[in-house]
Amino acid sequence: MSRWSASQGVVLTAYHPSSADAEAPGSSAKEAAGASPVSRRSGQYNMNHDNSKKPSGKPPYNRSGSQDSLDELSMDDYWKELENINETRGNNSEEQAVVLVKEPDEGELEEEWLKEAGLSNLFGEAAADSQESMVVLATLTRTQAAAVQKRVETVTQTMRKKNKQYQVPDVRDIFKQQNESKEKEIGNEHQSVRTKENKEEDTKEASCQHIDYDHQREDVPVIETDINLEISFSEQAATLKDDPAGKVLKGKEDDTLLPNFRLPKDKTGTTKIGDLAPQDMKKVHALALIELTALFDILGTELKPQKAIKIKTKESGLFGVPLSVLLEQDQKRVPGIRIPLIFQKLISHIEEGKLDTEGLLRIPGVAARVKNLCQELEAKFYEGTFHWENVKQHDAASLLKLFIRELPQPLLTVEYLKAFQDVQKLPTKKHQLQALNLLVLLLPDGNRDTLKALLEFLQRVIDHRDKNKMTLKNVAMVMAPNIFMFHGLGSKNTEQSEFVMAAGTANVMRFMIRNQNLLWTIPTFLVNQVRKQNTESQKKEKKDKAVKKLLKKMAYDREKHEKQDKNVNDVKSVNEADVPQGVIWVQAPHLSKVSMAIQLTEELKACDVVARFLSQKSGTVQSLKKEEVFLYEVGGNIGERCLDDDTYMKDLHQLNPNAEWVIKSKNC
């Protein structure tokens, strides 16, 4: 049973002036929604569907004072969608398994945090071999180190209270070297933040690519602002907080103003999720967690990931199946698939019926018909015998929302669902976008890919708003309950907190749809931290290899190994002679036997290198298309990275001089 249906007569009250009532966007769907005229006028919804007591008079909570308040007509869509969801659940005779969230003590929570951040070697039996953790600590910023230090101190105190027989290092010893080096950098770093931001203000038209959002027809005055991806978000927040002029942190921005966020061009290339090798993405995940925690700490907002108790779930089927299980069974049918087949098919079917249908997503399908379709899909979808031509567009949209709601664990995960909700508490829109960017990086691959497909679909719906009457606000209001309502996070909410959550989650949903292009970008400062970690690890490996080599020389014949070393050095010198300075050697081992030597120039981009490769006359290359192959940066201080077309090769070569350059398709 959901936390909504289990509430004891909780009433959500939204007051709507009668003059706006007739113009409400959802008024044409009243009968489909099953809402009575009385309830629609007053905007009051009883979460237990108990209509025995008709509420009357002015609502006790004045929502207009909410810090995240939106216009009344948009909120009307939210409450109506909530009512539709509850009616659907009320008609569902099958009892839902409740996912309970365990409340760990603070020490356990911080231990889990350190483990996910890749710092578990600081404690327990592995503390004696904490070199890997020290590599991570050596690459952290001042604010990131402070966030880690805070968690280390909490765990240390908890362990001592419980008298655990762990090797507990002194926090001062862990951060001694880091603190000494950071103190020297603080002044320069603060100055670099200000210098960078001033420079961006002076050159933003020339150096920034503009991202078009919804043609700005819904919101009043447009504010244009840049997102600095080169400097840690938490460091930027700390600088503004320490600056007397940074008064922006003291109060909320006007919620009706949605800025146009612009992404500055990075000469070394913009890195998108999916561009990095798995080993580097693992490092990005750990660093993103540390950075998100540091950002929340600086902004005075508590970040506590939740922890769910495992429950028995369906092991096959379509609806109510864990996303990981669903993807696993789909990948047996279509290898390499990243989004559930049923999810893809529902989206494509809705689009086949055109996106011009008025009230798409807002007007629900007929409940009984949707339930029958759900059962029929379970039986016939994988057999290929389901007749999609009989599925009406509104029914398909209801099935899509049902799929999301019925996931045993939410699309945004149990661990971070509350953090997504709490983004609304951050003081500025820029901070909120930065936090959302980091949270997306923390999602499992399947969740992130499915969320991306959903947000892209929702934007396509909005693109047809002139005909379907579904604006950004309408879509956000309708989808927010489906994304953020999860019965496993049940808690006793007051009427006021319900309103704050409703407006807040709808705002977060609106923000994710509007700025989705930025959400899939890995900040440059995180990529650079990964490069530093790889460099530090390579130094350690070289040191270890030198020791092993010394031991081998002591154990084996010295003359034999000196001869081998000479041969290796000879080969190395020949290879270096083959590639003159200022020239890169580009290979395509999976596509062509021909390699290319390319002279670096100031204006040479990755797309130019790919174009030269495709201009070759060999049979295999001639049949390839530009969108099928990419230039990769391989080795050196990165595992593997797919380059965007606008990467300036000379700048990147200077950043990673030991890299190899390989052209291949993403399937190789």
Side-chain angles (χ1 to χ4, degrees):
M1 184 178 296
S2 72
R3 71 183 179 93
W4 298 100
S5 58
S7 61
Q8 300 299 315
V10 175
V11 179
L12 295 188
T13 308
Y15 178 75
H16 303 288
S18 58
S19 61
D21 198 50
E23 299 176 4
S27 59
S28 62
K30 287 178 183 177
E31 293 182 4
S36 67
V38 174
S39 65
R40 298 303 297 143
R41 281 197 301 271
S42 64
Q44 296 172 350
Y45 298 92
N46 190 299
M47 304 309 295
N48 283 336
H49 307 286
D50 180 9
N51 296 319
S52 59
K53 296 181 180 180
K54 298 293 183 182
S56 60
K58 193 172 182 179
Y61 173 57
N62 182 9
R63 193 177 59 81
S64 62
S66 170
Q67 63 183 10
D68 290 306
S69 62
L70 295 172
D71 65 86
E72 300 291 348
L73 299 184
S74 294
M75 288 304 295
D76 186 70
D77 289 334
Y78 183 97
W79 304 124
K80 187 177 70 176
E81 180 67 16
L82 193 62
E83 188 175 35
N84 293 332
I85 292 172
N86 282 293
E87 287 179 356
T88 302
R89 286 180 173 171
N91 294 330
N92 187 358
S93 58
E94 295 181 9
E95 187 70 19
Q96 289 183 324
V98 177
V99 181
L100 299 176
V101 176
K102 180 184 177 183
E103 292 289 344
D105 64 41
E106 193 172 17
E108 290 176 340
L109 195 65
E110 306 301 17
E111 281 190 68
E112 286 293 324
W113 186 93
L114 288 167
K115 182 178 180 182
E116 189 175 353
L119 299 171
S120 57
N121 284 344
L122 291 176
F123 297 95
E125 297 177 357
D129 184 24
S130 58
Q131 187 63 38
E132 185 178 343
S133 296
M134 292 304 175
V135 168
V136 176
L137 293 175
T139 61
L140 299 184
T141 66
R142 176 176 58 98
T143 51
Q144 290 173 348
V148 173
Q149 186 167 351
K150 181 178 178 181
R151 274 77 199 168
V152 170
E153 289 172 345
T154 301
V155 175
T156 302
Q157 292 171 4
T158 304
M159 285 180 172
R160 286 171 178 163
K161 286 179 182 178
K162 293 183 176 181
N163 295 320
K164 285 192 175 182
Q165 300 301 312
Y166 284 174
Q167 181 177 347
V168 182
D170 192 308
V171 69
R172 292 170 294 183
D173 295 334
I174 296 176
F175 290 95
K176 183 179 180 181
Q177 294 179 350
Q178 283 72 32
N179 289 338
E180 290 175 353
S181 60
K182 298 299 183 211
E183 285 174 1
K184 297 177 182 178
E185 299 173 4
I186 287 175
N188 293 334
E189 196 153 7
H190 279 225
Q191 184 63 34
S192 67
V193 173
R194 294 191 181 91
T195 302
K196 181 66 181 178
E197 291 178 346
N198 292 338
K199 183 179 178 182
E200 287 175 353
E201 286 297 321
D202 295 337
T203 61
K204 58 185 178 183
E205 288 299 331
S207 65
C208 297
Q209 60 185 35
H210 180 71
I211 299 175
D212 184 22
Y213 295 115
D214 209 17
H215 307 296
Q216 294 301 328
R217 53 174 290 160
E218 293 182 351
D219 295 297
V220 289
V222 176
I223 301 173
E224 293 187 344
T225 184
D226 295 337
I227 293 293
N228 187 342
L229 299 179
E230 296 183 11
I231 298 173
S232 160
F233 298 153
S234 56
E235 288 291 336
Q236 294 180 48
T239 302
L240 286 172
K241 189 175 182 180
D242 296 338
D243 190 340
K247 296 179 181 179
V248 69
L249 291 178
K250 296 182 180 179
K252 275 276 183 179
E253 294 175 324
D254 184 348
D255 184 66
T256 62
L257 304 179
L258 284 184
N260 259 353
F261 287 109
R262 305 187 301 179
L263 191 63
K265 289 182 179 179
D266 183 353
K267 282 201 162 188
T268 60
T270 300
T271 306
K272 295 288 187 179
I273 293 172
D275 287 349
L276 293 181
Q279 65 267 29
D280 285 337
M281 273 306 296
K282 186 177 179 181
K283 295 183 179 73
V284 167
H285 179 99
L287 287 167
L289 176 60
I290 296 172
E291 173 64 15
L292 179 69
T293 307
L295 180 63
F296 271 59
D297 284 354
I298 290 294
L299 298 177
T301 302
E302 188 176 34
L303 176 67
K304 282 194 174 183
Q306 305 293 314
K307 191 174 183 181
I309 295 175
K310 292 183 180 180
I311 62 168
K312 188 175 181 180
T313 57
K314 291 172 63 177
E315 297 180 357
S316 62
L318 300 174
F319 297 87
V321 180
L323 198 57
S324 58
V325 174
L326 191 58
L327 282 169
E328 186 177 345
Q329 69 183 21
D330 285 355
Q331 286 166 355
K332 292 177 181 178
R333 294 173 171 84
V334 184
I337 194 169
R338 301 174 65 89
I339 302 163
L341 291 172
I342 181 62
F343 193 79
Q344 293 185 43
K345 182 59 182 176
L346 285 170
I347 288 177
S348 64
H349 182 75
I350 295 170
E351 294 189 309
E352 285 168 9
K354 295 186 178 180
L355 299 176
D356 297 340
T357 305
E358 186 171 344
L360 185 62
L361 293 174
R362 185 180 68 223
I363 299 177
V366 178
R369 192 165 60 220
V370 170
K371 183 177 180 181
N372 290 335
L373 287 171
C374 182
Q375 294 172 347
E376 193 175 348
L377 277 167
E378 291 279 8
K380 299 180 180 180
F381 178 72
Y382 285 123
E383 295 178 1
T385 57
F386 182 80
H387 297 290
W388 284 97
E389 62 273 12
N390 298 330
V391 182
K392 299 180 183 296
Q393 203 174 24
H394 288 300
D395 292 343
S398 292
L399 285 168
L400 181 70
K401 292 187 290 185
L402 179 67
F403 173 86
I404 297 169
R405 290 197 310 270
E406 293 299 303
L407 288 171
Q409 297 205 7
L411 185 60
L412 302 180
T413 72
V414 169
E415 289 80 4
Y416 295 108
L417 181 62
K418 189 175 184 301
F420 272 95
Q421 295 172 358
D422 288 345
V423 163
Q424 63 178 300
K425 299 178 182 178
L426 301 184
T428 72
K429 289 288 180 282
K430 181 179 284 189
H431 293 134
Q432 292 173 18
L433 180 57
Q434 291 169 338
L436 286 171
N437 183 199
L438 296 169
L439 280 165
V440 165
L441 291 174
L442 293 175
L443 294 177
D445 292 345
N447 296 65
R448 187 169 53 229
D449 294 335
T450 304
L451 175 65
K452 187 173 188 290
L454 174 64
L455 295 181
E456 289 172 346
F457 164 69
L458 295 179
Q459 183 58 57
R460 292 194 293 272
V461 171
I462 295 166
D463 290 340
H464 292 75
R465 60 192 170 277
D466 289 341
K467 294 184 178 179
N468 62 30
K469 310 303 180 187
M470 294 300 292
T471 64
L472 173 61
K473 288 180 181 177
N474 296 140
V475 172
M477 291 296 161
V478 169
M479 293 306 300
N482 293 281
I483 296 290
F484 288 97
M485 265 181 50
F486 179 60
H487 49 279
L489 294 177
S491 60
K492 295 181 180 179
N493 293 325
T494 63
E495 186 178 342
Q496 179 174 347
S497 66
E498 294 285 3
F499 276 119
V500 172
M501 177 181 174
T505 56
N507 266 319
V508 172
M509 192 73 217
R510 183 171 58 148
F511 210 41
M512 286 198 295
I513 297 171
R514 186 185 183 90
N515 299 284
Q516 58 183 283
N517 289 336
L518 299 182
L519 293 183
W520 320 114
T521 302
I522 303 176
T524 304
F525 72 87
L526 287 183
V527 178
N528 288 338
Q529 284 184 287
V530 170
R531 293 184 187 276
K532 290 178 183 177
Q533 283 190 24
N534 290 337
T535 300
E536 292 297 322
S537 297
Q538 288 166 7
K539 288 180 181 178
K540 181 179 179 298
E541 288 176 6
K542 286 181 180 179
K543 184 177 179 180
D544 293 343
K545 284 181 180 179
V547 173
K548 290 179 181 179
K549 187 176 180 181
L550 180 62
L551 294 173
K552 282 183 179 180
K553 285 183 178 181
M554 294 172 62
Y556 297 102
D557 180 51
R558 178 182 295 273
E559 184 178 347
K560 179 180 178 181
H561 283 276
E562 286 178 352
K563 185 177 180 181
Q564 289 179 348
D565 290 340
K566 184 177 184 300
N567 292 337
V568 170
N569 290 332
D570 290 344
V571 172
K572 185 177 180 181
S573 62
V574 171
N575 289 337
E576 289 176 348
D578 290 341
V579 185
Q581 189 174 4
V583 174
I584 58 172
W585 192 257
V586 182
Q587 307 171 58
H590 300 286
L591 305 171
S592 173
K593 294 181 180 179
V594 179
S595 298
M596 296 181 295
I598 296 181
Q599 178 70 49
L600 293 173
T601 64
E602 295 291 340
E603 300 302 319
L604 181 71
K605 296 182 180 181
C607 59
D608 301 326
V609 176
V610 174
R612 292 189 195 182
F613 171 77
L614 293 175
S615 66
Q616 295 181 102
K617 301 301 180 182
S618 60
T620 306
V621 173
Q622 205 166 18
S623 63
L624 294 172
K625 297 179 181 179
K626 183 178 181 298
E627 59 271 15
E628 295 176 343
V629 292
F630 303 87
L631 179 61
Y632 281 78
E633 170 193 6
V634 181
N637 54 33
I638 203 79
E640 182 177 283
R641 175 173 171 254
C642 181
L643 305 182
D644 75 76
D645 287 346
D646 291 330
T647 302
Y648 286 84
M649 296 306 299
K650 187 172 183 179
D651 293 86
L652 181 58
H653 183 261
Q654 291 173 351
L655 181 64
N656 191 5
N658 297 319
E660 296 180 359
W661 311 99
V662 179
I663 292 178
K664 62 177 182 175
S665 67
K666 286 197 172 182
N667 296 325
C668 291

